[in-house]
Amino acid sequence: MAPAITQAEITRAKWDKLAPRFDGMASLGAEKRWKPFKTALFSHMQGKILFLALGTGLDIPFFPGGQDITAIDISPKMLVEATDRIAAYDGTIRSEVMDVHEMPFAPESFDQVFTSCTFCSVPDPVGGLKALYRVLKPGGQLFMFEHTGSKHYPFRQMMDLMTLLSEKIGPSMNRDTVSNVRAAGFEITEVDNIFLDVVKTIKAVKAG
Amino acid sequence: MDHRLYYVVGDFLVSLVIGMVAGLAAWAIVGPGWNMWAAMAAMMPLGMVIGMLIYFPLGSRLGAMEAMIPSMYTGMWAGMVVGMMAAMMPLPLRHALEMGAACGIAEIVFIWIANTILRGVTRERKAR
């Protein structure tokens, strides 16, 4: 009997397939539009940093220089696409193919964790956030730039509808990531809605 | 609303064009013989699809959610309004385009107002 295909393998295959044309889709335009907000969020980088889901490295130009960053992604092909951006960074980025649910890092390894449009795609978002909680030091900070579902009519219904299609190729559009962060054990310090209540930055801490 | 002129003008023009194209499609498909509610039900999803199709090539210029949500919403409204009007009375093409354009403008203004209300910072706990 053939071995069962895991959720991680399905996710990896989905993003591997998308990798060569990822930048050419809406991603490049989104990055340009989100540049000031991401730059402001990433300006908080300090200490030992874990960056979750590096993708093709579109976020790297917004990182402050001189940081020591461990960046992971479930898709090896995405990281191949990121190679030039990693090489061009004025600091250290160690990229590794890794599933957030199965990170081998020791508990309390990092001072900060950053995510960028990641938890729309992690199959088990609360499980993934709990994994981040585990590897953060007490008092460690979580910084997220995410798009989520909306709590308001008519946007909530529209995001639900879009998710029916978008999930087939990539992200979910209707996740309640703020609640998921709380459910994973973090204390939210700040939520900044950038576009409606859909695109937002979330800052949270692991109580120390 | 986004205060960068490029995105203000871009969002406005895309919404205007999508409204007109969705209006045109509704005008071309729906006639006075149609049931008004059937026309509404059929043109709403068609308008959303038109909005998405126009959004896709523009996404690399205007972004993701900030462009996609208004695009789909404009298409839906313009398709619905023009479709209902075309079912109720003979509608000249010019009026269909004008109505589609008006829907596009009204929709992007609605998005700007909603964004002004919803955007901003909420602090839940004193940051360390």
mmCIF file of all heavy atoms in Angstrom, chain B residues 3 16 18 21 26 28 44 50-52 57 84 88 100 102 109-110 113 115 117 125:
data_model
loop_
_atom_site.group_PDB
_atom_site.id
_atom_site.type_symbol
_atom_site.label_atom_id
_atom_site.label_comp_id
_atom_site.label_asym_id
_atom_site.label_seq_id
_atom_site.Cartn_x
_atom_site.Cartn_y
_atom_site.Cartn_z
ATOM 1 N N HIS B 3 -3.252 57.252 0.876
ATOM 2 C CA HIS B 3 -2.994 58.654 0.573
ATOM 3 C C HIS B 3 -1.979 58.841 -0.555
ATOM 4 O O HIS B 3 -1.697 59.969 -0.940
ATOM 5 C CB HIS B 3 -2.517 59.385 1.837
ATOM 6 C CG HIS B 3 -3.595 59.455 2.873
ATOM 7 N ND1 HIS B 3 -4.672 60.297 2.762
ATOM 8 C CD2 HIS B 3 -3.788 58.759 4.014
ATOM 9 C CE1 HIS B 3 -5.476 60.123 3.810
ATOM 10 N NE2 HIS B 3 -4.964 59.196 4.573
ATOM 11 N N LEU B 16 -13.832 52.358 -11.868
ATOM 12 C CA LEU B 16 -14.645 52.966 -12.932
ATOM 13 C C LEU B 16 -14.737 52.025 -14.142
ATOM 14 O O LEU B 16 -15.835 51.763 -14.665
ATOM 15 C CB LEU B 16 -14.005 54.295 -13.340
ATOM 16 C CG LEU B 16 -14.783 55.205 -14.275
ATOM 17 C CD1 LEU B 16 -15.911 55.899 -13.527
ATOM 18 C CD2 LEU B 16 -13.848 56.264 -14.868
ATOM 19 N N ILE B 18 -14.122 48.757 -14.324
ATOM 20 C CA ILE B 18 -14.826 47.501 -14.015
ATOM 21 C C ILE B 18 -16.334 47.744 -13.981
ATOM 22 O O ILE B 18 -17.123 46.942 -14.507
ATOM 23 C CB ILE B 18 -14.324 46.902 -12.684
ATOM 24 C CG1 ILE B 18 -12.920 46.353 -12.865
ATOM 25 C CG2 ILE B 18 -15.273 45.795 -12.191
ATOM 26 C CD1 ILE B 18 -12.253 45.889 -11.589
ATOM 27 N N VAL B 21 -17.486 47.934 -17.606
ATOM 28 C CA VAL B 21 -17.430 46.650 -18.313
ATOM 29 C C VAL B 21 -18.520 45.706 -17.785
ATOM 30 O O VAL B 21 -19.206 45.031 -18.573
ATOM 31 C CB VAL B 21 -16.033 45.997 -18.179
ATOM 32 C CG1 VAL B 21 -16.026 44.596 -18.791
ATOM 33 C CG2 VAL B 21 -14.975 46.868 -18.843
ATOM 34 N N ALA B 26 -23.841 43.221 -18.569
ATOM 35 C CA ALA B 26 -25.239 43.059 -18.140
ATOM 36 C C ALA B 26 -26.186 43.582 -19.211
ATOM 37 O O ALA B 26 -27.227 42.968 -19.499
ATOM 38 C CB ALA B 26 -25.463 43.795 -16.820
ATOM 39 N N ALA B 28 -25.607 43.671 -22.396
ATOM 40 C CA ALA B 28 -25.564 42.776 -23.555
ATOM 41 C C ALA B 28 -26.355 41.495 -23.312
ATOM 42 O O ALA B 28 -26.899 40.899 -24.255
ATOM 43 C CB ALA B 28 -24.107 42.441 -23.884
ATOM 44 N N MET B 44 -24.910 39.376 -10.707
ATOM 45 C CA MET B 44 -24.002 39.583 -9.561
ATOM 46 C C MET B 44 -22.743 38.721 -9.668
ATOM 47 O O MET B 44 -21.625 39.240 -9.637
ATOM 48 C CB MET B 44 -24.728 39.330 -8.238
ATOM 49 C CG MET B 44 -25.611 40.483 -7.807
ATOM 50 S SD MET B 44 -26.629 40.106 -6.371
ATOM 51 C CE MET B 44 -25.442 40.143 -5.060
ATOM 52 N N ILE B 50 -16.062 39.239 -13.759
ATOM 53 C CA ILE B 50 -15.474 40.290 -14.604
ATOM 54 C C ILE B 50 -14.491 41.130 -13.783
ATOM 55 O O ILE B 50 -13.388 41.444 -14.240
ATOM 56 C CB ILE B 50 -16.593 41.169 -15.212
ATOM 57 C CG1 ILE B 50 -17.335 40.377 -16.289
ATOM 58 C CG2 ILE B 50 -16.029 42.471 -15.792
ATOM 59 C CD1 ILE B 50 -18.615 41.031 -16.779
ATOM 60 N N GLY B 51 -14.888 41.470 -12.566
ATOM 61 C CA GLY B 51 -13.998 42.226 -11.678
ATOM 62 C C GLY B 51 -12.697 41.488 -11.446
ATOM 63 O O GLY B 51 -11.608 42.078 -11.513
ATOM 64 N N MET B 52 -12.786 40.195 -11.206
ATOM 65 C CA MET B 52 -11.582 39.390 -10.968
ATOM 66 C C MET B 52 -10.703 39.330 -12.213
ATOM 67 O O MET B 52 -9.478 39.442 -12.141
ATOM 68 C CB MET B 52 -11.965 37.963 -10.561
ATOM 69 C CG MET B 52 -12.391 37.818 -9.121
ATOM 70 S SD MET B 52 -11.087 38.247 -7.962
ATOM 71 C CE MET B 52 -10.084 36.777 -8.054
ATOM 72 N N PRO B 57 -4.584 41.069 -14.226
ATOM 73 C CA PRO B 57 -3.409 41.699 -14.848
ATOM 74 C C PRO B 57 -2.961 42.978 -14.138
ATOM 75 O O PRO B 57 -1.824 43.411 -14.283
ATOM 76 C CB PRO B 57 -3.886 42.007 -16.275
ATOM 77 C CG PRO B 57 -5.362 41.979 -16.213
ATOM 78 C CD PRO B 57 -5.739 41.034 -15.123
ATOM 79 N N MET B 84 -30.623 44.604 -13.388
ATOM 80 C CA MET B 84 -32.003 44.839 -12.940
ATOM 81 C C MET B 84 -32.671 45.918 -13.798
ATOM 82 O O MET B 84 -33.830 45.772 -14.204
ATOM 83 C CB MET B 84 -32.016 45.258 -11.467
ATOM 84 C CG MET B 84 -31.712 44.113 -10.515
ATOM 85 S SD MET B 84 -31.588 44.659 -8.803
ATOM 86 C CE MET B 84 -33.311 44.837 -8.373
ATOM 87 N N MET B 88 -35.981 45.698 -16.454
ATOM 88 C CA MET B 88 -37.213 46.464 -16.215
ATOM 89 C C MET B 88 -37.622 47.318 -17.406
ATOM 90 O O MET B 88 -38.788 47.626 -17.579
ATOM 91 C CB MET B 88 -37.034 47.359 -14.973
ATOM 92 C CG MET B 88 -37.050 46.585 -13.673
ATOM 93 S SD MET B 88 -37.149 47.656 -12.237
ATOM 94 C CE MET B 88 -35.544 48.396 -12.218
ATOM 95 N N GLY B 100 -23.005 51.836 -14.898
ATOM 96 C CA GLY B 100 -21.867 51.028 -14.468
ATOM 97 C C GLY B 100 -20.766 51.905 -13.885
ATOM 98 O O GLY B 100 -20.195 51.600 -12.830
ATOM 99 N N ALA B 102 -21.141 54.890 -12.587
ATOM 100 C CA ALA B 102 -21.622 55.445 -11.306
ATOM 101 C C ALA B 102 -21.475 54.411 -10.188
ATOM 102 O O ALA B 102 -21.083 54.752 -9.059
ATOM 103 C CB ALA B 102 -23.076 55.875 -11.443
ATOM 104 N N VAL B 109 -15.785 54.859 -3.405
ATOM 105 C CA VAL B 109 -15.975 55.826 -2.316
ATOM 106 C C VAL B 109 -16.417 55.094 -1.049
ATOM 107 O O VAL B 109 -15.950 55.389 0.062
ATOM 108 C CB VAL B 109 -17.002 56.920 -2.723
ATOM 109 C CG1 VAL B 109 -17.397 57.770 -1.522
ATOM 110 C CG2 VAL B 109 -16.421 57.797 -3.833
ATOM 111 N N PHE B 110 -17.292 54.101 -1.217
ATOM 112 C CA PHE B 110 -17.715 53.282 -0.069
ATOM 113 C C PHE B 110 -16.516 52.576 0.575
ATOM 114 O O PHE B 110 -16.376 52.545 1.803
ATOM 115 C CB PHE B 110 -18.754 52.251 -0.528
ATOM 116 C CG PHE B 110 -19.042 51.186 0.492
ATOM 117 C CD1 PHE B 110 -19.769 51.477 1.635
ATOM 118 C CD2 PHE B 110 -18.570 49.890 0.326
ATOM 119 C CE1 PHE B 110 -20.023 50.505 2.589
ATOM 120 C CE2 PHE B 110 -18.821 48.906 1.266
ATOM 121 C CZ PHE B 110 -19.544 49.219 2.401
ATOM 122 N N ILE B 113 -14.473 55.075 2.521
ATOM 123 C CA ILE B 113 -15.114 55.438 3.801
ATOM 124 C C ILE B 113 -14.984 54.275 4.802
ATOM 125 O O ILE B 113 -14.610 54.481 5.960
ATOM 126 C CB ILE B 113 -16.601 55.805 3.572
ATOM 127 C CG1 ILE B 113 -16.702 57.108 2.774
ATOM 128 C CG2 ILE B 113 -17.345 55.945 4.907
ATOM 129 C CD1 ILE B 113 -18.101 57.418 2.266
ATOM 130 N N ASN B 115 -12.772 51.983 4.855
ATOM 131 C CA ASN B 115 -11.371 51.864 5.265
ATOM 132 C C ASN B 115 -11.003 52.918 6.299
ATOM 133 O O ASN B 115 -10.281 52.633 7.258
ATOM 134 C CB ASN B 115 -10.465 51.978 4.035
ATOM 135 C CG ASN B 115 -9.045 51.552 4.332
ATOM 136 O OD1 ASN B 115 -8.819 50.625 5.117
ATOM 137 N ND2 ASN B 115 -8.088 52.230 3.745
ATOM 138 N N ILE B 117 -12.960 54.155 8.469
ATOM 139 C CA ILE B 117 -13.581 53.751 9.747
ATOM 140 C C ILE B 117 -12.826 52.580 10.383
ATOM 141 O O ILE B 117 -12.581 52.562 11.591
ATOM 142 C CB ILE B 117 -15.061 53.370 9.516
ATOM 143 C CG1 ILE B 117 -15.860 54.614 9.089
ATOM 144 C CG2 ILE B 117 -15.677 52.739 10.762
ATOM 145 C CD1 ILE B 117 -17.237 54.298 8.543
ATOM 146 N N ARG B 125 -2.658 45.703 25.282
ATOM 147 C CA ARG B 125 -1.822 45.458 26.457
ATOM 148 C C ARG B 125 -0.592 46.318 26.288
ATOM 149 O O ARG B 125 -0.126 46.508 25.169
ATOM 150 C CB ARG B 125 -1.429 43.977 26.482
ATOM 151 C CG ARG B 125 -0.463 43.571 27.555
ATOM 152 C CD ARG B 125 -0.202 42.065 27.357
ATOM 153 N NE ARG B 125 0.656 41.545 28.387
ATOM 154 C CZ ARG B 125 1.972 41.634 28.362
ATOM 155 N NH1 ARG B 125 2.595 42.245 27.385
ATOM 156 N NH2 ARG B 125 2.688 41.099 29.343
#
